[in-house]
Amino acid sequence: ALAFSICSKQMEPCGLIICLEKDSSLFHHQDIELIKAQAQRMNMHVDFATGHWKDSPELPGLLKKYVNNGVPNVVFGDIGDEKNYKRKIQLCQNAGATPIMPLWRMPYPHLINLYEKHKIKSIITMVRNGLQDLLGSEFTKNTFMKLKEAGYDPLGEKGEFHSTLVDADFFSSPITYTLSKVEEMEDNFGKKWIRKIQVKL
């Protein structure tokens, strides 16, 4: 959201590409209806690709489609994962696109200040063990400081948590929502707890 907000003030955004796993967003496990509600408030067209972005069979073709339609750049919100940074550069090069990563290597204190400046509101909807009490709460500067003091990566860059966008300075209106019951799941990295956002109509 922050990367989108920064770049949309300098160039015209043309669309969103979302990777899905079993009809929900990767990592956050949010349903397609929520993603469509986000896109509608951003006045953006959204394309869906199946599978993880690293090996999705559909993603390269979608990127090439945008390039062929005169869209030269792809914006990512990466902060510091060198391996993913290189993979995304290669993904874009293969499609003839230019990757733009406005948050790359930006100091955390500056990032959290920009998060507030751009009026981003996100709800913590996935956590790993030890952070269950955060599920369903808003991610704020106070949350950031508490996580930092507790020894976690305060932006969740190591997968400690994920959040779901419900408002920002580029939204036409906030998403009104309810929260589902907590679900416990397990993946290759261990146990995780999910609390989905359900859009109020």
Side-chain angles (χ1 to χ4, degrees):
L2 181 55
F4 180 93
S5 185
I6 290 170
C7 288
S8 65
K9 291 171 174 53
Q10 302 172 41
M11 58 190 75
E12 182 183 356
C14 300
L16 305 170
I17 298 178
I18 306 293
C19 291
L20 298 176
E21 183 178 38
K22 297 179 181 177
D23 294 326
S24 65
S25 59
L26 288 173
F27 313 120
H28 316 78
H29 299 276
Q30 292 295 337
D31 296 331
I32 290 177
E33 288 70 24
L34 184 278
I35 298 167
K36 289 180 177 178
Q38 292 169 326
Q40 186 269 330
R41 284 159 176 80
M42 296 166 74
N43 194 29
M44 285 286 102
H45 168 77
V46 59
D47 283 303
F48 295 102
T50 302
H52 196 290
W53 64 267
K54 288 186 288 188
D55 51 25
S56 168
E58 299 164 12
L59 184 55
L62 282 173
L63 291 176
K64 287 179 182 178
K65 182 187 79 171
Y66 276 95
V67 170
N68 291 339
N69 286 331
V71 181
N73 306 311
V74 183
V75 173
F76 298 98
D78 293 77
I79 298 171
D81 188 314
E82 194 75 33
K83 188 181 290 185
N84 283 340
Y85 172 81
K86 291 177 179 178
R87 284 171 173 161
K88 286 174 182 174
I89 289 175
Q90 188 62 55
L91 179 69
C92 288
Q93 286 178 343
N94 291 344
T98 301
I100 296 180
M101 301 185 189
L103 313 184
W104 184 250
R105 298 294 192 199
M106 194 176 283
Y108 275 23
H110 187 52
L111 280 171
I112 196 64
N113 287 336
L114 284 176
Y115 181 89
E116 288 189 325
K117 179 183 176 182
H118 289 260
K119 300 178 181 178
I120 293 168
K121 181 178 179 180
S122 59
I123 306 302
I124 296 174
T125 50
M126 192 290 284
V127 297
R128 295 291 177 180
N129 194 31
L131 298 177
Q132 292 94 320
D133 288 348
L134 292 178
L135 271 178
S137 66
E138 182 181 352
F139 178 77
T140 64
K141 195 170 189 176
N142 187 47
T143 314
F144 173 90
M145 294 306 298
K146 285 182 176 179
L147 287 166
K148 184 179 180 181
E149 290 166 6
Y152 294 99
D153 184 304
L155 293 179
E157 280 293 285
K158 297 176 182 176
E160 297 94 334
F161 69 94
H162 289 288
S163 62
T164 299
L165 183 69
V166 294
D167 199 14
D169 60 357
F170 50 83
F171 266 28
S172 59
S173 63
I175 291 175
T176 55
Y177 63 91
T178 58
L179 291 164
S180 70
K181 292 181 179 179
V182 175
E183 303 173 51
E184 183 180 321
M185 300 182 183
E186 193 159 355
D187 59 17
N188 295 337
F189 302 100
K191 288 185 178 180
K192 59 183 175 181
W193 287 261
I194 311 292
R195 198 167 188 194
K196 291 185 178 183
I197 283 179
Q198 297 167 329
V199 181
K200 276 187 179 179
L201 301 177

